[in-house]
C-alpha cells in the first residue's frame, strides 16, 4: 500500500492533516480524464452523463464511509463551504446564540463570526480532553440555536464529545476534517445533524473536494442558501430530493475521477487501517515525549502536537531532512500527522532531527 503513495519513497510525510499523500491510481485517473477532455471535448451528452455518474459514485462512497442513510450526502468543495451551507441554511444572525470551542479551525469559526450571531466559546484548548463536555455544557442555554465543533481538534488531536452533545433538541454541526478517514465515523451513531468532510486530507483525495452529511429530517428544515445548477430538478425548479439539493456546484471531471480512486484505495486498506493509525500515533507520541513537551493526550486521534521554542525554524529544519510536518501559527506547536501508511522509519526520521 505504501508503494501506491510515491511521495513516501522520499519523504517521511507526516502532514495529512493538511494534505494527504496522493495515490498513484488517483493521479492516473486525473491525468486520464484531462487527456479525454483534451481529445473529445467537454460538451457531448456522453460527457455530461459520465460526469453525473461519477458524482453519484463518489456520493455513494462518501455515504458508505460515514455510515449515512440514502439521500443524506451533498458534494462540496471543503469543510469551510459545508459549514457556510449550514449557517446560511439555518439563517443564523444577530439575536441568535451559537456554542463552539476555542480549538476550532477558521473553516468553522470564521463563518460563525461572519453570521452576526452571538458566539459562546467553551475554553478547552488548555484543559484535559475529559473536561471538554462540561466546558461546552456550561455555555449552552435556552437561546442556543446551534452547537458547532470539531470531531477531532486540528490543534491537539483531541477527540471531542460529539455523541454526548447530540439529542438535546439543538442542531449539532461537526467539522470532520481531521476525523473522516483517520478514525472510524458513523454519523447515525454520533447522532449529529450535520457532518463535514475535507477529502484532501485523510482520504487522500485531490484539492477542493469534500461532502456534507445532512440528517434526513433536517433536509426540509434548512433553507437552500447556496443553490447551484445541480440543486434543482429541471425544468420545474423543484429542489432535488434529499441532501443532493445542497450540492454547491460543478466539480472538475479529473477531480471526481481521482477522488473515486482515492476513496476506493482507502477502503481497500480495510477497517484495520484505523487501528494501525491509532497505534502509530501512540508510538509517535511515545517517541516525541522523550524529546519535547507533547500536548496531545494518550488515546486521542491521529494528530500529535508538541511544543517547540521556534516552531517555524524546526519545520524548516525537518523539511531540509525530507521530514514533512507543520507548525500551528500563534500556538508554539508543531504537529505530526500519523496515517495508517506511516512507518516506524518515518517516525524515527522525525525524532532523529529533534
Amino acid at each position: 500500500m505504501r508503494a501506491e503513495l510515491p511521495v513516501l519513497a522520499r519523504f517521511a510525510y507526516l502532514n495529512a492533516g493538511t494534505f494527504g499523500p496522493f495515490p498513484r491510481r488517483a493521479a492516473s485517473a486525473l491525468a486520464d480524464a484531462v487527456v479525454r477532455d483534451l481529445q473529445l471535448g467537454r460538451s457531448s451528452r456522453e460527457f455530461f452523463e459520465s460526469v453525473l455518474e461519477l458524482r453519484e459514485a463518489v456520493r455513494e462512497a462518501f455515504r458508505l464511509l460515514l455510515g449515512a442513510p440514502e439521500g443524506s450526502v451533498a458534494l462540496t468543495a471543503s469543510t469551510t463551504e459545508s459549514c457556510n451551507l449550514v449557517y446560511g441554511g439555518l439563517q443564523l444572525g444577530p439575536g441568535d446564540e451559537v456554542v463552539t470551542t476555542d480549538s476550532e479551525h477558521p473553516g468553522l469559526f470564521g463563518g460563525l463570526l461572519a453570521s452576526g450571531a452571538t458566539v459562546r466559546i467553551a475554553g478547552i484548548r488548555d484543559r484535559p480532553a475529559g473536561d471538554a463536555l462540561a466546558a461546552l455544557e456550561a455555555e449552552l442555554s435556552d437561546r442556543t440555536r446551534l452547537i458547532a465543533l470539531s470531531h477531532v481538534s486540528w490543534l491537539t488531536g483531541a477527540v471531542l464529545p460529539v455523541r454526548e452533545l447530540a439529542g438535546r433538541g439543538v442542531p449539532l454541526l461537526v467539522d470532520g476534517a481531521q476525523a473522516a478517514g483517520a478514525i472510524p465515523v458513523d454519523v447515525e451513531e454520533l447522532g449529529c445533524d450535520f457532518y463535514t468532510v475535507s477529502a484532501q486530507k485523510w482520504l487522500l483525495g485531490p484539492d477542493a473536494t469534500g461532502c456534507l452529511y445532512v440528517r434526513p429530517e433536517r433536509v426540509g428544515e434548512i433553507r437552500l442558501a447556496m443553490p447551484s445548477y445541480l440543486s434543482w430538478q429541471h425544468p420545474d425548479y423543484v429542489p432535488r430530493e434529499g441532501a443532493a439539493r445542497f450540492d454547491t456546484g460543478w466539480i472538475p471531471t479529473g477531480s471526481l475521477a481521482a477522488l473515486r480512486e482515492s476513496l476506493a484505495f482507502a477502503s481497500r486498506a480495510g477497517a484495520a487501517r484505523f487501528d494501525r493509525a491509532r497505534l502509530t500515533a501512540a508510538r509517535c507520541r511515545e517517541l516525541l515525549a522523550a524529546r519535547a513537551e507533547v500536548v496531545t493526550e494518550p488515546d486521542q486521534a491521529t494528530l500529535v502536537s508538541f511544543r517547540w521554542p521556534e516552531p517555524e525554524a524546526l519545520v524548516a529544519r525537518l523539511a531540509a531532512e525530507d521530514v514533512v510536518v507543520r507548525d500551528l501559527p500563534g500556538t508554539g506547536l508543531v504537529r505530526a500527522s500519523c496515517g495508517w501508511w506511516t512507518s516506524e522509519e518515518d517516525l524515527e526520521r522525525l525524532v532523529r532531527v529533534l
Side-chain angles (χ1 to χ4, degrees):
M1 297 296 282
R2 277 177 60 91
E4 288 295 311
L5 301 168
V7 71
L8 303 183
R10 173 181 171 186
F11 296 96
Y13 191 87
L14 302 168
N15 196 23
T18 301
F19 280 99
F22 204 42
R24 190 186 308 275
R25 61 192 287 177
S28 295
L30 192 154
D32 289 347
V34 171
V35 170
R36 182 221 174 272
D37 292 350
L38 176 69
Q39 295 176 343
L40 301 179
R42 297 174 292 174
S43 60
S44 67
R45 176 176 292 275
E46 177 190 7
F47 169 78
F48 280 100
E49 288 178 349
S50 69
V51 173
L52 294 178
E53 288 175 6
L54 261 177
R55 292 180 70 91
E56 295 314 307
V58 166
R59 195 189 311 276
E60 178 65 6
F62 276 134
R63 187 186 74 78
L64 294 174
L65 172 79
L66 299 175
E70 296 278 353
S72 62
V73 174
L75 301 182
T76 68
S78 65
T79 283
T80 301
E81 191 172 75
S82 295
C83 287
N84 287 330
L85 275 172
V86 174
Y87 303 152
L90 293 173
Q91 302 183 67
L92 295 178
D96 295 324
E97 279 190 4
V98 296
V99 172
T100 188
T101 81
D102 63 351
S103 293
E104 301 307 323
H105 189 276
L108 180 145
F109 196 76
L112 287 178
L113 292 180
S115 73
T118 299
V119 182
R120 297 178 63 89
I121 302 172
I124 68 169
R125 183 184 302 184
D126 299 319
R127 300 172 67 174
D131 292 351
L133 179 59
L136 282 153
E137 287 178 327
E139 301 300 331
L140 298 175
S141 73
D142 293 339
R143 295 172 55 84
T144 304
R145 283 207 60 214
L146 176 69
I147 305 169
L149 78 166
S150 296
H151 194 172
V152 172
S153 167
W154 75 297
L155 297 177
T156 66
V159 179
L160 302 188
V162 172
R163 190 178 294 104
E164 294 82 354
L165 291 166
R168 299 180 181 235
V170 179
L172 175 61
L173 165 64
V174 181
D175 174 350
Q178 299 298 348
I183 64 174
V185 175
D186 185 318
V187 291
E188 291 198 296
E189 182 186 348
L190 289 172
C192 58
D193 298 282
F194 311 100
Y195 195 97
T196 77
V197 173
S198 291
Q200 81 278 7
K201 299 179 186 290
W202 301 96
L203 292 169
L204 317 182
D207 306 17
T209 54
C211 76
L212 170 67
Y213 160 76
V214 181
R215 178 185 290 276
E217 296 85 350
R218 294 288 186 189
V219 168
E221 296 179 5
I222 63 173
R223 185 170 68 101
L224 187 55
M226 296 170 60
S228 69
Y229 176 90
L230 297 160
S231 299
W232 310 100
Q233 300 179 54
H234 299 284
D236 300 322
Y237 280 90
V238 176
R240 291 178 66 185
E241 291 294 322
R245 68 182 61 183
F246 302 114
D247 283 9
T248 52
W250 193 257
I251 300 171
T253 315
S255 294
L256 284 170
L259 179 56
R260 179 174 62 178
E261 294 300 324
S262 291
L263 293 172
F265 178 72
S267 178
R268 186 178 128 213
R273 70 190 187 275
F274 299 121
D275 286 336
R276 191 181 192 288
R278 177 178 55 81
L279 292 171
T280 301
R283 177 61 173 157
C284 180
R285 187 181 179 282
E286 175 188 3
L287 291 170
L288 287 172
R291 297 159 176 81
E293 179 191 352
V294 177
V295 301
T296 302
E297 296 178 55
D299 301 320
Q300 299 302 312
T302 53
L303 299 173
V304 181
S305 297
F306 59 97
R307 296 196 188 281
W308 200 262
E310 297 181 353
E312 290 185 20
L314 177 62
V315 171
R317 166 80 172 133
L318 287 162
E321 299 290 336
D322 291 340
V323 178
V324 183
V325 296
R326 70 159 294 179
D327 64 290
L328 301 170
T331 66
L333 298 178
V334 176
R335 188 186 74 188
S337 304
C338 301
W340 51 264
W341 52 84
T342 302
S343 70
E344 177 80 8
E345 182 188 2
D346 293 335
L347 301 180
E348 290 173 353
R349 289 172 65 181
L350 167 63
V351 298
R352 272 202 302 269
V353 177
L354 298 185

